[in-house]
Amino acid sequence: MDSVSRAPEIHPSSIVADGARIGQGVRIGPWCSIGPDVVIEDGVHLIANVIVEGHTRIGAGVVCYPFTTIGMAPQDLKYRGEPTRCNIGARTVIREHVTIHRGTATGSGVTRVGDDCLIMANSHIAHDCTLGNSVIIVNNVVMGGHVTIDDQARIMGAAALHQFVRIGRAALVGGVCGVEADVIPYGSVLGNRARLVGLHWIWLKRNGVQAAEMHRLRRAFRALYPRTMEEESTAFSRRLAAVRAEYGDEPKVAEILAFIEASSHRGLVRVAGGGAASIESDGV
């Protein structure tokens, strides 16, 4: 019998409040607590000691490991108990001691985690954050409110993301890295205070980007973030226009340019040491 066709299994030590909606094939292990406004979709597995509160929806096939809390009130002094939300996408895996808070009325009102994400142990996803699909958050990552992380980005262990920071698609944030500004799509940042060191070449190779496109991406990146101080003395707006004119028909370059030109609270992460060294960092 398909696991999604079965009645939910709820351990007798767990508390499921009246009003909570529990899907088929859900397994709720010992010492869990589910609030009255929670929706848990089919096939979810809460292994043990999981707390889910607030107006929270957990998508089909999600697995939550022990001592995770989802949908708790945000750590925002302006929060006054408004019925804000938290949504977790399908098939996401949430490991031990992760905390994910619901949104705020002064923000977007919802904290979102996409489909097929992996959130490793002891990480914190704050109020009003938005994670895309297939994002990997490694152990002990912390983020302030309103952070946006686009699809397939990789955030390595113990990184700290400032509130309102944007992380572009498939970007790589190195371990123990403090990120105070936005990271371009496919960008790779390292350092105690994050500095852009190149593109996320490993991800690009693993995801089928062909040599010709790779070379064009490399040339576009070098034009935008030159190696020498003399070249870098050219105004960034002029370099941006030149890259658009020469490489703007390249979809990934166009995506980077659109990200740079979008509204931002934090500006962009700067290049390392006045130049942009090409470090082909290994990604997950």
Side-chain angles (χ1 to χ4, degrees):
M1 182 180 294
D2 192 307
S3 63
V4 177
S5 67
R6 295 184 288 106
E9 301 174 9
I10 301 174
H11 192 276
S13 64
S14 288
I15 300 171
V16 179
D18 292 342
R21 295 162 54 190
I22 309 299
Q24 294 185 329
V26 170
R27 291 178 290 163
I28 299 177
W31 309 111
C32 295
S33 176
I34 311 301
D37 299 307
V38 171
V39 176
I40 298 180
E41 297 185 358
D42 297 346
V44 169
H45 185 191
L46 310 183
I47 292 175
N49 297 93
V50 176
I51 297 176
V52 188
E53 287 291 339
H55 290 77
T56 296
R57 177 179 291 270
I58 298 183
V62 166
V63 179
C64 295
Y65 280 72
F67 304 105
T68 61
T69 64
I70 302 173
M72 301 293 282
Q75 298 175 134
D76 186 326
L77 295 176
K78 300 184 298 299
Y79 182 70
R80 294 291 181 268
E82 297 91 346
T84 52
R85 295 178 290 132
C86 179
N87 293 335
I88 309 298
R91 300 173 303 279
T92 283
V93 175
I94 302 171
R95 295 302 306 244
E96 298 85 348
H97 294 277
V98 166
T99 55
I100 305 175
H101 292 169
R102 59 184 180 259
T104 62
T106 55
S108 66
V110 59
T111 301
R112 293 186 178 90
V113 176
D115 299 339
D116 302 300
C117 294
L118 172 59
I119 315 299
M120 295 190 195
N122 299 299
S123 294
H124 174 63
I125 299 174
H127 61 86
D128 303 293
C129 288
T130 299
L131 278 62
N133 299 327
S134 301
V135 170
I136 295 178
I137 304 293
V138 180
N139 301 47
N140 300 298
V141 167
V142 294
M143 58 190 78
H146 314 276
V147 167
T148 299
I149 303 177
D150 291 338
D151 295 351
Q152 298 180 297
R154 304 310 191 230
I155 316 297
M156 298 295 103
L161 310 183
H162 195 285
Q163 63 181 0
F164 290 104
V165 154
R166 298 180 300 146
I167 307 296
R169 187 164 85 93
L172 173 67
V173 173
V176 199
C177 191
V179 183
E180 300 170 305
D182 299 344
V183 180
I184 61 172
Y186 315 105
S188 177
V189 300
L190 298 173
N192 176 274
R193 288 296 182 265
R195 289 295 180 262
L196 187 63
V197 297
L199 295 182
H200 191 179
W201 303 113
I202 297 297
W203 184 93
L204 292 164
K205 291 174 184 176
R206 288 177 178 174
N207 285 271
V209 176
Q210 299 302 306
E213 183 181 359
M214 196 83 79
H215 289 317
R216 284 178 61 80
L217 274 171
R218 191 184 301 272
R219 289 196 294 269
F221 181 81
R222 289 296 177 220
L224 198 56
Y225 299 103
R227 294 174 183 270
T228 68
M229 295 297 291
E230 182 180 355
E231 292 173 309
E232 195 178 6
S233 65
T234 305
F236 186 74
S237 59
R238 291 178 61 185
R239 300 202 303 268
L240 199 65
V243 169
R244 183 185 298 105
E246 187 167 358
Y247 303 103
D249 59 343
E250 184 69 54
K252 289 183 173 58
V253 174
E255 184 179 352
I256 291 170
L257 297 178
F259 182 93
I260 290 171
E261 294 172 332
S263 175
S264 171
H265 291 270
R266 300 295 305 168
L268 295 170
V269 168
R270 298 180 180 182
V271 295
S278 178
I279 299 176
E280 298 195 356
S281 304
D282 287 334
V284 172

